[in-house]
Structure formats: C-alpha cells, structure tokens
Amino acid sequence: LHPVMPFITERIYLELYNNDESIMISKWPTPNDKYNFKDEENLIEEMKKIITQIRNIRTNMNIHPSKKSKLIFVIDNNEFEPMIESCKPWIERLGFSNEVAIEKSEANIPARAVSCIADGIKVYMPFEELIDIEEEKKKLETEKERLEKEVERSTKILSNQGFLNKAPAEKIQEEKEKLEKYKDMLEDTKARIAQL
C-alpha cells in the first residue's frame, strides 16, 4: 500500500516495528521456510476432493443432510493420521458425519459402503442405515429404464439417414451430445445399482 498511501503506511510501519528506519528504505520482507506448510496444503487439497466426493455421493443417493453417517478413513501414509485427527471436527461438519474413524486396512469396512479416493487416503461411508435400500433400488431401476429408452431413441434418430440428410448440423450435434450425456448417466446409474 505504501506507494498509494505513504503517510499512513509510514506511520503503521513505525508503530508496528518500533523501528527508526523509514519504510521507504527498509528491506523487502524475505520468506521464512518455517511458514511454508506444503504438506498441510496438499492434505487440505485432498480433503477438499474427498468432501466434494462425499457430498456428490450423498446427493446422488438422495440422503438428507440431517442424516449423519460414519466416515472411515483408510490411510496408507502415516503422516496423514495426525492431520486427519486434528481436522475431525470440520470433516464431520462438512462431510455430514457423526463419527470419523481411522483404520490401517480395509478389513473392518462394512459390506455396504461407498468409497471416495484421494492420494494416499480412502474414505468409506456405510450407507445401510442412511437409505431404504429396496426403495432406492426401485428408483434407480426406473431411472435406468428411462435412460435406456432415451439412449435407444437417440441412437435410432442418429441412424436415420433421412434425419442426417435433412437436419441442420447444429441439430445433429445436439442429438449426439444428448446421446453421450444419456450414456454417461446410464453408466452412472448402473454403477450405483451395483453398489447397492
């Protein structure tokens, strides 16, 4: 700020540092390596990815935010453990969890659990008590049938030579994009059914 408001910055500098030297001739601050938290920064980035995945899974499974789940962290790297321990309160808050556990192996993971993976960290979320599995299967099967019909419809349209010869290029491209979107949604739905 000094070039913009020199009188104010000069006063602040002298008050904060109790230094007779003027800010105009002082040395530029040099970085201190003890304030470089590279490992912590990497962990936070991985935790952000995991929280995003947990929230996406909960949204896809229609789990209400008021229903809390257990989160089981399986870590390959022991350096993550103290950091995860210290971050438990905000992991619980951001991941809609009522308990955060840390395991060394996947031996004690419940059979019905979905997983999220980041670099060196796996998180499992048991979902048996969160959703009515039979009801969720019915909804997903209905969605699967709908998507299969949409894929079939788009495939027929795109294999129709009359449509391809008469339709504008933008309309054909739009139909191709729809087909790809429906295929992706269908694969995602099948994967969710397999998880159940």
Side-chain angles (χ1 to χ4, degrees), residues 13 17 19 21-30:
Y13 182 80
Y17 295 101
N19 197 338
E21 186 180 63
S22 169
I23 192 171
M24 291 185 286
I25 57 171
S26 63
K27 290 182 182 175
W28 190 258
T30 54

Side-chain angles (χ1 to χ4, degrees), residues 169-179:
E170 306 88 49
K171 185 69 177 164
I172 294 170
Q173 184 58 35
E174 184 183 315
E175 200 58 46
K176 285 180 180 177
E177 287 171 6
K178 273 188 196 174
L179 178 60

Side-chain angles (χ1 to χ4, degrees), residues 56-105:
N56 288 342
I57 288 168
R58 289 179 65 94
T59 301
N60 289 339
M61 296 177 93
N62 297 319
I63 300 170
H64 194 273
S66 64
K67 289 187 177 178
K68 305 294 184 196
S69 62
K70 181 177 182 178
L71 296 176
I72 305 165
F73 282 76
V74 178
I75 49 175
D76 302 333
N77 193 337
N78 286 336
E79 72 185 51
F80 288 148
E81 189 170 348
M83 291 182 189
I84 291 170
E85 282 287 347
S86 66
C87 295
K88 273 185 180 180
W90 66 263
I91 292 171
E92 287 176 359
R93 186 178 191 113
L94 296 174
F96 303 106
S97 173
N98 56 4
E99 182 185 351
V100 174
I102 299 172
E103 297 283 342
K104 299 291 182 195
S105 72

Side-chain angles (χ1 to χ4, degrees), residues 18-59:
N18 296 318
N19 197 338
D20 293 335
E21 186 180 63
S22 169
I23 192 171
M24 291 185 286
I25 57 171
S26 63
K27 290 182 182 175
W28 190 258
T30 54
N32 188 337
D33 283 341
K34 80 174 187 178
Y35 299 118
N36 183 7
F37 301 106
K38 197 68 184 161
D39 292 338
E40 288 83 354
E41 183 183 342
N42 291 338
L43 175 72
I44 293 298
E45 287 306 315
E46 297 307 320
M47 295 307 294
K48 280 166 55 179
K49 288 178 195 171
I50 284 175
I51 295 294
T52 302
Q53 289 178 48
I54 289 168
R55 288 179 168 203
N56 288 342
I57 288 168
R58 289 179 65 94
T59 301

